[in-house]
């Protein structure tokens, strides 16, 4: 919305320095006799960010466990600009004037409905070629969490699953279970991303929240009326209902469990196709 923030440009040298600083923090903890779990390592990473002078960024990172790329980038920026905070760069970008009218809208639907749609979409994605695409990326030399594409939800989990298959002796009977675990992992990661995005948009007052479940013509009319000069046209119940969950919705989300995936059925055609893809990939690796 405001253009790219003016953060220091990443270079191989600054990126390596950030990784080295994180590794140092973890090594120092290990030297003290601590056996770090993934969660403890993340806490130490957030503590490093706070020690570098940005407590606000550390708090945000604490809510995004295992977003290793973001953690490393934050450390890189703070090392490159001693004494600065990430918010300093964001504010500098917001001060730049826009040479155009900007009317941002956020289309939203009930959270449970959204989660169900996410789960269904992941089922379809895995059964429509995700494994083959991940195998192609791997054949090109891409490893999980090393590029923007391999950090993307879906590709990251699929590449990790292929690495596991390559390193471990997996029996054919275990392949349906691996497929199901892949689906569940992607669904979970996508729902967490959805939650973070909702929180981000809720804290952006310039966005108008609109109920995406209403009639399309009504939705378009609200947007057009607002753009044409009626600020109240795109406001209403959606701003309150979807901005903050009711207590009933919070309880419902805590009880939420994904609907049974088709990959839970070893005889389902989608499962059989997925197993066939994995089997072919394993034979190619063995050859």
């Amino acid at each position: 919305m405001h253009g790219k923030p003016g953060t220091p440009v990443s270079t191989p040298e600054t990126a390596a320095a950030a990784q080295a600083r994180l590794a140092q923090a973890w090594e120092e903890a290990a030297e003290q006799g601590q056996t770090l779990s993934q969660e403890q390592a993340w806490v130490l990473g957030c503590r490093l960010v706070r020690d570098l002078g940005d407590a606000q960024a550390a708090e945000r990172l604490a809510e995004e466990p295992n977003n290793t790329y973001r953690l490393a980038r934050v450390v890189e920026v703070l090392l490159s600009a001693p004494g600065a905070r990430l918010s300093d760069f964001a504010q500098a970008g917001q001060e730049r004037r826009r040479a155009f009218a900007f009317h941002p809208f956020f289309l939203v639907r009930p959270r449970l409905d959204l989660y169900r749609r996410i789960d269904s979409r992941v089922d379809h994605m895995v059964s429509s070629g995700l494994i083959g695409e991940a195998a192609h990326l791997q054949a090109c030399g891409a490893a999980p969490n090393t590029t923007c594409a391999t950090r993307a939800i879906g590709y990251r989990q699929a590449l990790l699953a292929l690495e596991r298959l390559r390193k471990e002796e997996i029996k054919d009977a275990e392949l349906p279970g691996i497929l199901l675990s892949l689906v569940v992992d992607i669904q979970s990661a996508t729902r967490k991303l959805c939650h973070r995005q909702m929180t981000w948009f809720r804290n952006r007052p310039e966005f108008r929240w609109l109920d995406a479940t209403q009639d399309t013509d009504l939705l378009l009319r609200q947007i057009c009326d607002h753009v044409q000069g009626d600020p109240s046209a795109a406001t209403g119940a959606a701003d309150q209902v979807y901005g903050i969950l009711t207590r009933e919705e919070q309880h419902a989300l805590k009880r939420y469990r994904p609907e049974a995936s088709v990959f839970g059925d070893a005889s389902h055609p989608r499962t059989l196709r997925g197993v066939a893809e994995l089997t072919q990939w394993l034979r190619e690796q063995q050859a």
Side-chain angles (χ1 to χ4, degrees), residues 169 186 222:
E169 292 185 4
I186 297 174
Q222 289 177 338

Side-chain angles (χ1 to χ4, degrees), residues 3-282:
K4 292 183 178 180
T7 50
V9 176
S10 177
T11 67
E13 293 75 21
T14 57
Q19 293 289 353
R21 189 65 176 271
L22 284 166
Q24 179 184 356
W26 294 325
E27 288 171 2
E28 289 175 352
E31 290 173 358
Q32 296 175 4
Q34 298 184 41
T35 302
L36 297 179
S37 65
Q38 192 173 28
E39 292 76 12
Q40 291 170 324
W42 187 257
V43 170
L44 284 177
C46 295
R47 185 180 303 168
L48 172 61
V49 171
R50 188 182 65 235
D51 292 343
L52 288 172
D54 198 336
Q56 185 180 30
E59 291 178 3
R60 288 201 303 268
L61 283 167
E63 299 175 357
E64 302 180 39
N66 303 321
N67 188 343
T68 54
Y69 172 77
R70 180 166 177 77
L71 172 61
R73 177 57 181 153
V74 170
V75 172
E76 180 182 3
V77 170
L78 297 179
L79 289 175
S80 300
R85 297 170 300 172
L86 290 187
S87 57
D88 297 335
F89 300 107
Q91 290 169 1
Q94 291 173 4
E95 291 171 358
R96 291 194 293 267
R97 297 180 60 184
R98 291 189 297 264
F100 53 87
F102 189 62
H103 301 277
F105 299 93
F106 182 53
L107 303 182
V108 69
R109 62 179 63 248
R111 193 77 62 88
L112 282 175
D113 180 23
L114 183 59
Y115 281 8
R116 296 294 184 201
R117 291 165 71 95
I118 287 172
D119 292 340
S120 175
R121 175 59 183 165
V122 172
D123 256 18
H124 179 74
M125 183 169 66
V126 173
S127 63
S128 300
L130 175 64
I131 295 172
E133 291 182 27
H136 175 71
L137 284 174
Q138 189 182 67
C140 292
N145 296 315
T146 57
T147 65
C148 289
T150 58
R151 282 190 293 267
I153 294 176
Y155 287 128
R156 181 173 72 245
Q157 289 80 4
L159 284 166
L160 288 171
L162 293 179
E163 277 200 352
R164 178 191 169 192
L165 288 175
R166 186 174 58 181
K167 294 178 180 178
E168 301 177 14
E169 292 185 4
I170 303 296
K171 299 179 181 178
D172 289 348
E174 298 178 80
L175 292 179
I178 290 175
L179 268 177
L180 179 59
S181 294
L182 172 61
V183 170
V184 171
D185 288 347
I186 297 174
Q187 289 174 336
S188 176
T190 308
R191 291 195 302 271
K192 289 177 181 177
L193 174 62
C194 170
H195 174 75
R196 293 197 298 270
Q197 289 178 331
M198 298 283 277
T199 300
W200 189 88
F201 279 105
R202 190 170 63 236
N203 293 326
R204 307 296 302 194
E206 64 268 36
F207 279 83
R208 297 290 184 177
W209 290 53
L210 298 178
D211 181 1
T213 65
Q214 63 184 318
D215 180 75
T216 303
D217 290 338
L218 176 60
L219 189 62
L220 291 174
R221 191 178 311 120
Q222 289 177 338
I223 294 174
C224 290
D225 289 346
H226 178 80
V227 172
Q228 291 172 1
D230 182 2
S232 64
T235 61
D239 290 289
Q240 289 78 36
V241 174
Y242 294 106
I244 299 177
L245 296 175
T246 65
R247 180 168 297 182
E248 291 74 15
E249 288 173 323
Q250 292 176 11
H251 289 324
L253 286 177
K254 288 180 180 178
R255 298 191 302 269
Y256 177 79
R257 296 292 182 274
E259 293 181 349
S261 166
V262 297
F263 292 97
D265 178 3
S267 63
H268 193 281
R270 290 188 184 182
T271 305
L272 295 175
R273 285 198 298 271
V275 168
E277 282 188 279
L278 290 177
T279 301
Q280 180 181 353
W281 180 83
L282 279 172

